[in-house]
């Protein structure tokens, strides 16, 4: 038995960042992880592998669609799928090994195996029980099934995102159930690689919760790229035939039932918190109705000395949100007073174009009865975007009508996921749209579109 200041359960972005921050703050720390490699969902079967495939497939698309227009003569690209998957695996390996290196550097013990909490102050891993003054649960999430539908996921023909990241071959026909971020990213990968992709979404539009104007635009652009998108449709059944699957769905407006065949069906209807095997019931840790671990503003659960962070608690299921909570709980345990502004957590969809958001949507401001103004700027008016052949999309900034303080920003366009951060920083500092508009931006950059959208909140942009 070993004794620690802190034991973290789960080595995803929440858990591993928490463990490193604890160690940096002088706490004797261990991290329990049942997977073969560190890094959790994000590094192994989430953010990182999906971005490796998005990047590779984006280059295929560029070569097929834009090279000729730029005067690049090359033979049509051929995809070696096995090699693309091994490129993705190499990227995963480099990242997970990187976390292992950081654990060693910070003298964090990796307790290999699945952990449970037999009582407060104790963590059991395999046959061994370890002691800890503080236990942090960062056990993450798992893919959800389709609510109310008959479906068996075999990870071969009917897959979650995990199976979709290692299909033995590129499917001819893929049906994606759920038009959220994960489904659209992976759907885009296969579309670019030649699959016929149909997305079936229950709501009346894709990416529910996103600023509606941006979401409508996004849907149009994806359709233009060849993605078939059926909205307002409830999937009731996914049957696995020998080498295919049949999806049955009903249109919500009139109940009309349809079926569609596919070589692969990707179920991407969201994720659910993962708490299996931790022994939370016996320990007396309270869960919310949605199965998340209930915590207070200091990430404390209902059991003293036991904390929870990341996907397993409420809030957006995002790696950077988990990381920030990991850092914050470590600092709280060390006696500091960190603070996370949950209103300024960016969200990004890594399709082409990318979509990035932070803060309030227009719908949220309307619902709150807040007086606001909108500044927009189209990438058609941005020289750099034109030079990149990526002038689809626009920047939209929402600012308080009276004070001009930035309340939210939504970007659909090239490198939106990078550009959003200047708005995050501005919002952290309580900046006005005019502050952004008066900040000199390098030319030619896509970020100039952000500046011009900020100008549009005032006297107006220059290039529109
Ligand atoms: P996780 O990363 O899920 O890690 C939890 C870890 O705990 C796991 O490794 C698990 O094995 C381990 N564990 C669980 N129980 C135990 C136990 N009892 N004992 C030992 N170990 C245990 N987010 C983004 O921000 N950007 C993206 O681009 C993005 N892309 C994604 C793409 C896909 C396909 C998916 C599925 C997710 C994506 N996400 C993305 C979401 C992101 O992966 C999660 O929000 C993030 O991983 C949550 O971190 P976490 O530390 O809370 O949990």
């Amino acid at each position: 038995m070993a004794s620690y200041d802190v034991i973290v359960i789960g080595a995803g972005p929440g858990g591993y960042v928490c463990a490193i921050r604890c160690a940096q703050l002088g706490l004797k720390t261990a991290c329990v992880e049942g997977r073969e490699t560190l890094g959790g969902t994000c590094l192994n079967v989430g953010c990182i592998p999906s971005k490796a495939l998005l990047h590779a497939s984006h280059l295929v698309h560029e070569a097929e669609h834009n090279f000729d227009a730029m005067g690049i003569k090359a033979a049509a690209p051929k995809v070696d799928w096995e090699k693309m998957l091994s490129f993705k695996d190499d990227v995963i390996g480099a990242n997970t090994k990187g976390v292992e290196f950081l654990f060693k550097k910070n003298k964090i013990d990796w307790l290999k195996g699945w952990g449970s909490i037999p009582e407060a102050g104790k963590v059991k891993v395999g046959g061994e029980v370890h002691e800890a003054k503080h236990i942090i649960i960062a056990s993450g999430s798992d893919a959800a099934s389709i609510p109310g539908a008959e479906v068996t996921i075999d990870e071969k023909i009917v897959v979650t995102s995990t199976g979709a990241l290692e299909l033995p071959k590129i499917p001819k026909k893929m049906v994606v159930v759920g038009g959220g971020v994960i489904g659209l990213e992976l759907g885009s990968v296969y579309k670019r690689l030649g699959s016929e992709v149909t997305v079936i979404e229950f709501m009346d539009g894709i990416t529910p919760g996103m600023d509606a104007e941006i979401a409508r635009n996004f849907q149009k652009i994806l359709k233009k790229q060849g993605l078939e998108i059926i909205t307002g449709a409830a999937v009731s059944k996914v049957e696995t035939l020998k080498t295919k699957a049949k999806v049955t769905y009903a249109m919500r407006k009139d109940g009309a039932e349809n079926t569609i065949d596919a070589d692969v069906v990707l179920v991407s209807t969201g994720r659910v918190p993962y708490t299996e095997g931790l022994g939370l019931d016996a320990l007396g840790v309270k869960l919310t109705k949605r199965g998340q671990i209930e915590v207070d503003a200091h990430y404390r659960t209902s059991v003293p000395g036991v904390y929870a962070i990341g996907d397993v608690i409420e809030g957006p299921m995002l790696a950077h949100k988990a990381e920030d909570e990991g850092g914050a709980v470590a600092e709280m345990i060390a006696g500091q007073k960190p603070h996370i502004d949950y209103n300024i957590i960016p969200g990004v969809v890594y399709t082409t174009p990318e979509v990035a958001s932070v803060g309030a949507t227009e719908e949220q401001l309307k619902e709150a009865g807040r007086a606001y103004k909108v500044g927009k700027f189209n990438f058609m008016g941005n020289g750099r975007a034109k030079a990149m052949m990526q002038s689809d999309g626009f920047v939209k900034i929402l600012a308080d009508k009276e004070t001009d303080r930035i309340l939210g920003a939504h970007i659909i366009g090239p490198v939106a996921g990078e550009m959003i951060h200047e708005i995050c920083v501005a919002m952290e500092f309580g900046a006005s749209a005019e502050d952004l508009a008066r900040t000199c931006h390098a030319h030619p950059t896509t970020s100039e579109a952000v500046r011009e959208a900020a100008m549009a909140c005032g006297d107006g942009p220059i290039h529109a």
Side-chain angles (χ1 to χ4, degrees):
M1 185 208 278
S3 196
Y4 295 93
D5 292 317
V6 177
I7 296 183
V8 184
I9 302 179
Y16 88 71
V17 167
C18 182
I20 293 172
R21 194 74 191 108
C22 285
Q24 283 176 339
L25 294 165
L27 300 164
K28 189 175 177 216
T29 307
C31 184
V32 190
E33 176 53 62
R35 267 179 216 273
E36 298 290 306
T37 48
L38 300 172
T41 304
C42 177
L43 270 56
N44 290 283
V45 290
C47 329
I48 297 298
S50 59
K51 266 77 245 176
L53 293 182
L54 276 158
H55 178 67
S57 62
H58 171 68
L59 295 181
V60 173
H61 179 91
E62 284 290 285
E64 283 175 348
H65 297 270
N66 291 339
F67 272 19
D68 191 54
M70 289 188 267
I72 305 169
K73 296 286 174 204
K78 280 199 193 122
V79 174
D80 179 341
W81 179 234
E82 228 171 274
K83 198 158 178 187
M84 200 178 275
L85 287 180
S86 80
F87 155 69
K88 178 233 9 165
D89 290 338
D90 288 348
V91 174
I92 295 173
N95 279 280
T96 58
K97 284 275 170 232
V99 177
E100 213 174 313
F101 164 79
L102 291 173
F103 270 22
K104 284 192 187 126
K105 184 181 157 198
N106 287 284
K107 303 192 172 41
I108 296 161
D109 289 344
W110 173 5
L111 306 175
K112 293 185 185 176
W114 299 99
S116 59
I117 313 172
E119 59 184 278
K122 294 206 163 65
V123 174
K124 189 166 180 243
V125 186
E128 285 201 47
V129 177
H130 305 271
E131 275 180 355
K133 287 186 203 124
H134 308 276
I135 297 169
I136 294 151
I137 303 170
S139 52
S141 61
D142 206 355
S145 193
I146 308 171
E150 278 174 54
V151 51
T152 307
I153 290 167
D154 58 14
E155 293 295 8
K156 287 188 175 74
I157 294 176
V158 183
V159 299
T160 65
S161 55
T162 301
L165 290 166
E166 49 186 26
L167 294 177
K169 60 179 187 195
I170 298 166
K172 276 206 177 73
K173 273 176 88 173
M174 177 183 245
V175 167
V176 177
V177 182
V181 177
I182 293 175
L184 295 175
E185 286 186 0
L186 291 172
S188 287
V189 165
Y190 286 100
K191 175 71 203 146
R192 292 171 194 167
L193 298 177
S195 305
E196 203 182 292
V197 178
T198 303
V199 178
I200 305 179
E201 166 58 45
F202 180 83
M203 303 300 281
D204 292 332
I206 57 166
T207 52
M210 189 183 270
D211 184 273
E213 186 184 13
I214 295 273
R216 276 196 305 273
N217 217 271
F218 186 30
Q219 186 164 327
K220 255 191 225 152
I221 292 173
L222 290 177
K223 279 191 166 175
K224 213 167 75 185
Q225 290 174 3
L227 250 80
E228 186 73 31
I229 299 176
I230 302 168
T231 56
V235 169
S236 57
K237 208 194 284 181
V238 182
E239 290 164 88
T240 314
L241 313 170
K242 256 189 197 150
T243 56
K244 277 190 181 297
K246 188 167 92 178
V247 179
T248 307
Y249 63 93
M251 298 312 293
R252 283 172 50 228
K253 67 172 186 304
D254 57 10
E257 204 167 84
N258 295 294
T259 59
I260 180 170
D261 282 353
D263 302 297
V264 170
V265 175
L266 164 60
V267 175
S268 52
T269 41
R271 295 182 63 81
V272 286
Y274 183 79
T275 53
E276 246 175 72
L278 287 165
L280 298 187
D281 231 12
L283 187 64
V285 170
K286 274 196 202 145
L287 302 184
T288 66
K289 276 190 200 124
R290 299 180 57 204
Q292 300 144 324
I293 297 178
E294 209 173 277
V295 291
D296 66 9
H298 294 85
Y299 309 104
R300 290 180 295 214
T301 69
S302 51
V303 173
V306 180
Y307 308 75
I309 56 163
D311 275 12
V312 81
I313 67 168
E314 72 167 6
M317 286 180 158
L318 293 169
H320 40 285
K321 177 260 193 187
E323 286 182 43
D324 280 16
E325 289 177 344
V329 77
E331 289 167 11
M332 280 174 193
I333 288 170
Q336 299 181 6
K337 291 188 168 55
H339 171 72
I340 296 174
D341 187 340
Y342 282 93
N343 192 37
I344 311 181
I345 293 179
V348 179
V349 194
Y350 296 84
T351 43
T352 304
E354 290 185 350
V355 186
S357 303
V358 65
T361 62
E362 214 174 328
E363 291 67 41
Q364 285 169 335
L365 293 179
K366 274 187 193 143
E367 205 182 308
R370 185 113 185 220
Y372 65 94
K373 52 189 172 176
V374 185
K376 275 191 265 187
F377 189 77
N378 203 298
F379 283 103
M380 280 303 284
N382 178 270
R384 183 68 183 277
K386 278 204 196 102
M388 291 159 69
M389 294 187 70
Q390 288 187 44
S391 48
D392 268 346
F394 59 97
V395 180
K396 172 174 179 177
I397 293 180
L398 302 165
D400 187 278
K401 192 156 192 174
E402 290 300 313
T403 65
D404 195 36
R405 187 181 179 135
I406 302 169
L407 303 172
H410 309 276
I411 309 174
I412 179 164
V415 290
E418 302 294 335
M419 284 189 287
I420 197 73
H421 295 108
E422 77 161 303
I423 304 171
C424 297
V425 174
M427 286 176 72
E428 284 285 358
F429 283 84
S432 63
E434 187 181 348
D435 289 327
L436 257 191
R438 289 195 180 277
T439 303
C440 184
H441 283 61
H443 175 76
T445 57
T446 51
S447 298
E448 286 174 290
V450 173
R451 183 187 195 182
E452 299 236 33
M455 287 173 165
C457 288
D459 293 338
I462 302 293
H463 297 92

